[in-house]
Amino acid sequence: MSVTIDLVTDIDAPIQLVYDLARDLDLHARSMAHTGERAIGGRTSGRIGLGEIVTWRARHLGIWWTLTSRITVAEPPSRFVDEQARGPFAWFRHEHRFEERPGGATRLIDRWRHAAPLGPLGWLADRLVLGRHMERLLIKRTVELKAAAELSVRR
């Protein structure tokens, strides 16, 4: 059984800028600073691209985790997908879509899907804690991405 989280965010910035910032590992690390998240393997800074991996180390729910993801799809500037290569989930797939909006704005559509390990026990953890935790993290990341993109445009 899997969990799906869909977020839609309108950003007052051009599509290419939003696409590039969404792939920026340094921005991602800053948005997750409250978890101590940092890139420790693969590409560790800059913009990640097709076929590249990044290994993250972070503290979530009181436990230190290590997770490696790979960019499996890249269609600039409209879409990219990252998926777990190794880590605590049974699997995850995170699709980032970007649509041009009137006036030079961009709509970001995030679709996160994952399954927890451990069968029924994982499903229960998802329903009680993990699903909401992931949604909060995705919202925090999106808020930071929107702020960085809109600030770049104002400069």
Side-chain angles (χ1 to χ4, degrees):
M1 293 184 223
S2 64
V3 169
T4 300
I5 300 167
D6 289 314
L7 300 175
V8 178
T9 307
D10 288 330
I11 301 173
D12 291 325
I15 192 170
Q16 186 66 54
L17 174 63
V18 177
Y19 180 83
D20 288 342
L21 287 174
R23 297 179 303 115
D24 188 299
L25 300 177
D26 303 305
L27 176 60
H28 177 90
R30 284 193 305 274
S31 73
M32 294 291 112
H34 67 286
T35 69
E37 189 158 333
R38 63 187 182 94
I40 61 168
R43 176 174 275 281
T44 58
S45 67
R47 294 178 186 150
I48 195 163
L50 182 62
E52 290 186 302
I53 65 166
V54 58
T55 299
W56 297 100
R57 177 110 171 113
R59 186 179 178 119
H60 293 280
L61 305 172
I63 300 169
W64 284 97
W65 302 94
T66 301
L67 179 145
T68 301
S69 65
R70 176 182 313 279
I71 303 298
T72 58
V73 175
E75 298 169 359
S78 60
R79 173 175 172 246
F80 74 92
V81 176
D82 57 292
E83 298 183 65
Q84 177 179 280
R86 287 184 306 277
F89 296 95
W91 59 267
F92 83 70
R93 183 174 196 275
H94 186 184
E95 181 176 14
H96 314 253
R97 289 190 167 272
F98 307 85
E99 298 175 354
E100 286 187 282
R101 305 297 294 163
T106 302
R107 176 164 287 163
L108 168 60
I109 303 163
D110 262 329
R111 170 164 272 196
W112 168 274
R113 296 190 67 217
H114 77 260
L118 306 175
L121 185 58
W123 178 85
L124 183 60
D126 252 341
R127 294 310 179 266
L128 296 176
V129 179
L130 185 58
R132 283 181 293 211
H133 179 71
M134 290 308 304
E135 186 170 18
R136 283 191 302 272
L137 290 176
L138 290 168
I139 290 169
K140 173 119 177 71
R141 182 184 175 282
T142 301
V143 165
E144 296 284 337
L145 173 61
K146 177 180 171 70
E150 292 177 352
L151 181 62
S152 291
V153 170
R154 286 194 294 267
R155 287 186 179 163

